[in-house]
Amino acid sequence: MLICSKRGWELPESAATPEGVYLNRRALLQAAAAVPLLVGPFSQAFAQQNSAQQTSVGGAARNPRYTLDRPVTGEDYATTYNNYVEFGSQKSIWKAAQKLPVRPWTITIDGMVEQPMTIGIDDLLARMPMEERLYRHRCVEAWAMAVPWTGFPLKALVEMARPLGSAKYLVMTTFQKPEVASGQKQFWYPWPYVEGLTMAEATHELAFISTGMYGKPIPPQNGAPLRLTVPWKYGFKSVKSIARFTFSDQRPKSFWEEIQGSEYGFWANVNPEVPHPRWSQKTERMLGTDERRPTLIYNGYGEFVASLYRDMEGEKLFM
Ligand code: MTE
């Protein structure tokens, strides 16, 4: 996320580098104390496809229920302009991300379930109902894209996992492999990347696990072999390269919330009326173009999801 010390609207988009690591005071002090020589660069620094991958994305039929109000973003843009801090804090991490081995890939399902399990990615995919969906994506940094994702409804995985009735949250955790993901050697980040949804969100029809995009297996830089896709929330909720699904009765503290809780909260629903503390959220730039569009509440998915948040006036739903 944005690491810049200037307010977002004072920067050209091209300079608004990765979502940002705007370190909280505790982490900064710890890091500075441990590695004094690195203090200078903090303002910046914070600031192959695996050939064995055989995801059956080609034949998945498009679900016509989910339509776009804008052109699909060019594949070249969506796959080369990424946020993936495990591989660096710039947008151009796509080459570095090819180091991630996406086969074999084992997924652990644990916590408040009838029976914890581990399952290989291909065995999991064979059990899931695959389809293609066109979804908008809105990054908290105010850029947006529209992508044909292939994958399966998260609800199908939840049903397979058989959570206990007492489970309230689904926590999703990225792999931990500092030997291939050099960003994970940066000890001031709270690795591994973690995100969470309530059970109502996780079983909502829009919550999707993407395993492909543009009719092909999803590339490592976009979150191979499986990533969350929740289009009504800011992009940082869409955790990439998930290795663990944990059911819990405790609300998790997510990666960005841990780093800068005053800017990145649990709910993170898109809302143009609630600015980020450092920039406006009123408009968004379409990736690969200079076009700016007005941002829509719930990223345009209000008719699907607004009812999830009824009677939650006390919550900070939009950060
Ligand atoms: N997941 C992991 N593990 N690490 C990350 O840095 N970045 C998030 C999200 N998921 C991130 C992540 C952010 S901030 C965004 S906007 C989207 O991934 C970007 O997805 P894209 O690169 O496919 O556009």
Side-chain angles (χ1 to χ4, degrees), residues 1 19 81-86 137 139 143 145 149 174 193 221-222 227 235-236 238-240 256:
M1 303 220 272
E19 284 201 48
Y81 184 94
N82 300 104
N83 278 335
Y84 204 163
V85 277
E86 284 83 344
H137 172 99
C139 178
W143 56 267
M145 61 181 181
W149 299 106
T174 300
Y193 199 105
Q221 63 270 27
N222 294 93
R227 72 173 277 167
F236 66 88
S238 288
V239 46
K240 295 178 172 179
W256 290 109

